[in-house]
């Protein structure tokens, strides 16, 4: 959802306030709501459509919507941008008061909380076809009886590594977990080496790497009815994650070691880090010998479960349950999900389309960075889409710290987390 903009990666907080209601998660994959008002007929949207975006999307949304406004001359658009860390609080307040905008943007890891508090109207028939969107993105908007929002854009992460240092050590891009462990050990052991990899520290909410590691091991943290955490797969994921800290190949404390100075020559993040590095070189804040030629990146290596799934993030759009102009809101939302508008959004905001077909444009496929990103997009996993997930993520952070520092084993951590998760439930 939120882009990490530091070389020492800090995982994002995963949701905040949990207000539970009767909404629930289910197996239904198709958008569609019985009895819900559908989108206004083509060219018939009218009135003010008020939208809350998050994290700097307002200006480009206004640009994107110009053709829709031209086709619907009796409609106007009002867009307000909200800081990411205020989204859930504002949605909670609006839901409690029954007053808010027509469309609300939430991060993919916030949407379940919004659904759980009853903030979103169920998506009616005809707004969008879930088959056109990435399954993991659809999973992030799904409730018990259908979809409650539409995926707008997506993002995922891949592995960055110091290609120049790897070449000096006779190493190439890792393909498996064992390869990453070998590379991290070699990076640390080299003359002048500090660490081998940077990972979100246990105190920094590491769920965005532990959940993919669990998936790469062949696991899944829920069966749809309960949490399934005390499993061999989660134990394997914790062993893999915490092992880097236990071997002192990843820093447990704040450090001056960075990717640029070679202190932490591997990390997991997204393509925006290339802009960070380029800017650092341009402004002279990067070491003099650091160049973009030193930056290697690749899809994440495959785990013992036979896949290389990475976390899928992004933004979703839902129509507020108490919206005043639902028909026009659904019209705009449906229009934004079409292939043409999704392509246009990439041109404006440089965010990957959630509509799969829109990702085939040359500006994505012909660029080596986004080409790798789109390759990784085929193998993604969403955070568990339940209102109680933020509490479970907190537990993963707490117990992974104890594993990383050698206080308990991964097996003990998995058992403790499972026991607490059983008491918490899914949150619906």
């Amino acid at each position: 959802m939120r882009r990490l903009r530091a070389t020492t990666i800090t995982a994002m907080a995963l949701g905040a306030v949990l207000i539970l209601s009767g909404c629930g998660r289910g197996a239904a994959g198709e958008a569609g709501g019985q009895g819900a008002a559908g989108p206004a007929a083509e060219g018939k949207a009218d009135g003010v459509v008020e939208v809350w975006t998050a994290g700097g999307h307002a200006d480009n949304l206004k640009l994107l919507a110009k053709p829709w406004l031209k086709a619907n001359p009796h409609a106007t658009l009002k867009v307000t941008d909200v800081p990411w860390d205020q989204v859930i609080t504002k949605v909670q307040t609006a839901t409690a008061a029954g007053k808010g905008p027509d469309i609300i943007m939430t991060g993919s890891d916030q949407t379940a909380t919004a659904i759980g508090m009853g903030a979103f109207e169920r998506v009616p028939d005809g707004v969008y076809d879930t088959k056109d969107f990435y399954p993991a993105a659809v999973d992030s908007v799904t409730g018990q009886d259908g979809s409650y929002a539409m995926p707008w854009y997506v993002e995922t992460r891949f592995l960055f590594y110091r290609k120049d240092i790897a070449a000096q050590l006779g190493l190439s891009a890792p393909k498996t977990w064992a390869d990453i462990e070998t590379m991290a050990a070699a990076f640390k052991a080299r003359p002048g080496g500090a660490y081998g990899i940077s990972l979100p520290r246990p105190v920094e909410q590491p769920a965005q790497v532990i959940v993919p590691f669990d998936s790469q091991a062949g696991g899944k943290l829920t069966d749809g009815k309960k949490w399934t955490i005390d499993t061999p797969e989660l134990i394997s994921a914790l062993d893999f994650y915490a092992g880097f800290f236990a071997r002192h190949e990843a820093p447990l404390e704040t450090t001056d070691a960075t990717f640029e100075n070679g202190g932490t020559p591997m990390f997991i993040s997204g393509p925006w880090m290339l802009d960070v590095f380029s800017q650092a070189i341009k402004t002279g804040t990067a070491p003099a010998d650091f160049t973009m030629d030193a930056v290697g990146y690749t899809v994440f290596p495959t785990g013992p479960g036979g896949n290389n799934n990475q976390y899928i993030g992004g933004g979703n759009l839902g129509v507020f349950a108490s919206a005043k102009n639902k028909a026009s809101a659904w019209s705009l939302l449906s229009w934004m999900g079409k292939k043409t508008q999704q392509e246009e959004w990439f041109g404006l905001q440089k965010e990957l389309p959630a509509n799969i077909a829109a990702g085939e444009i040359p500006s994505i496929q012909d660029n080596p960075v986004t080409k790798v990103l789109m390759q990784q997009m085929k193998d993604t996993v969403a955070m568990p889409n339940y209102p109680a997930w933020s509490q479970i993520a907190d537990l993963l952070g707490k117990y992974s710290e104890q594993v990383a520092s050698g206080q308990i084993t991964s097996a003990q951590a998995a058992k403790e987390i499972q026991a607490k998760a059983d008491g918490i439930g899914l949150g619906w």
Side-chain angles (χ1 to χ4, degrees):
M1 176 182 81
R2 304 158 203 132
R3 294 181 174 181
L4 309 181
R5 300 192 61 84
T7 306
T8 301
I9 305 303
T10 301
M12 287 102 69
L14 302 176
V17 184
L18 298 176
I19 308 271
L20 308 183
S21 76
C23 296
R25 176 187 176 77
E30 292 300 319
Q34 297 175 352
E42 187 174 349
K44 298 296 184 181
D46 59 10
V48 178
V49 178
E50 185 176 356
V51 184
W52 284 353
T53 58
H57 291 81
D59 290 344
N60 280 332
L61 174 54
K62 293 173 187 176
L63 291 175
L64 178 73
K66 283 184 176 181
W68 181 83
L69 290 169
K70 185 176 181 180
N72 295 274
H74 298 293
T76 58
L77 186 65
K78 178 182 178 182
V79 187
T80 302
D81 205 62
V82 176
W84 276 124
D85 60 0
Q86 295 180 22
V87 169
I88 291 299
T89 300
K90 288 185 71 68
V91 172
Q92 178 194 9
T93 301
T95 302
K99 297 178 181 179
D102 298 296
I103 297 175
I104 298 174
M105 174 183 170
T106 53
S108 60
D109 58 353
Q110 297 173 322
T111 306
T113 301
I115 295 172
M117 65 175 68
F120 288 149
E121 184 89 352
R122 186 181 169 193
V123 180
D125 296 326
V127 173
Y128 72 97
D129 189 338
T130 58
K131 297 185 182 70
D132 294 337
F133 294 76
Y134 288 102
V138 172
D139 187 60
S140 74
V141 302
T142 302
Q144 185 174 19
D145 53 357
S147 296
Y148 280 81
M150 184 190 77
W152 185 16
Y153 68 89
V154 293
E155 53 102 336
T156 189
R157 291 84 196 277
F158 44 64
L159 185 71
F160 284 85
Y161 67 101
R162 282 291 296 266
K163 185 169 56 175
D164 56 338
I165 300 175
Q168 293 169 11
L169 298 172
L171 300 172
S172 56
K175 303 294 184 185
T176 66
W177 276 15
D179 291 344
I180 299 181
E181 291 172 331
T182 297
M183 183 173 277
F187 280 156
K188 176 179 170 53
R190 78 186 196 280
Y195 298 99
I197 189 170
S198 175
L199 291 168
R201 295 180 300 157
V203 295
E204 295 169 342
Q205 291 281 17
Q208 286 191 9
V209 295
I210 293 177
V211 171
F213 290 165
D214 178 64
S215 182
Q216 292 160 24
K220 195 172 182 181
L221 294 181
T222 173
D223 62 5
K225 298 179 180 178
K226 63 183 183 302
W227 297 107
T228 52
I229 293 170
D230 187 9
T231 65
E233 292 80 12
L234 193 276
I235 292 169
S236 177
L238 285 174
D239 281 341
F240 182 60
Y241 165 79
F244 293 105
F245 297 100
R247 296 187 297 270
H248 306 291
E249 294 164 359
L252 261 174
E253 306 296 336
T254 302
T255 175
D256 293 332
T258 67
F259 184 80
E260 295 96 321
N261 66 25
T264 50
M266 266 196 300
F267 68 95
I268 304 165
S269 191
W272 52 86
M273 290 306 301
L274 295 168
D275 292 334
V276 174
F277 296 144
S278 179
Q279 186 65 20
I281 292 170
K282 186 181 299 184
T283 59
T285 57
D289 60 349
F290 178 74
T291 70
M292 294 304 292
D293 290 337
V295 183
Y297 48 86
T298 182
V299 295
F300 202 83
T302 300
N307 72 79
N308 70 330
N309 286 340
Q310 261 303 315
Y311 162 72
I312 187 172
N316 300 323
L317 297 170
V319 170
F320 189 48
S322 299
K324 298 177 181 178
N325 196 358
K326 290 181 182 179
S328 295
W330 287 125
S331 172
L332 175 59
L333 192 148
S334 179
W335 179 85
M336 290 170 63
K338 298 293 193 298
K339 178 176 179 288
T340 299
Q341 282 68 249
Q342 289 270 293
E343 293 171 348
E344 179 68 16
W345 185 247
F346 177 77
L348 289 169
Q349 190 80 8
K350 302 305 179 191
E351 290 173 336
L352 292 179
N355 185 308
I356 298 171
E360 299 300 319
I361 55 177
S363 57
I364 291 177
Q365 293 297 327
D366 294 347
N367 181 297
V369 179
T370 50
K371 187 174 183 179
V372 170
L373 194 63
M374 293 304 291
Q375 185 179 351
Q376 183 67 70
M377 277 301 309
K378 298 175 183 177
D379 299 293
T380 51
V381 61
M383 293 294 109
N385 187 35
Y386 300 94
W389 167 241
S390 64
Q391 295 173 271
I392 307 305
D394 286 342
L395 291 173
L396 282 173
K398 172 185 175 181
Y399 283 97
S400 67
E401 180 177 18
Q402 295 179 32
V403 177
S405 60
Q407 298 176 47
I408 61 174
T409 66
S410 296
Q412 290 170 325
K415 188 177 295 295
E416 289 285 341
I417 297 170
Q418 181 71 62
K420 288 180 169 55
D422 287 343
I424 294 169
L426 299 177
W428 295 117

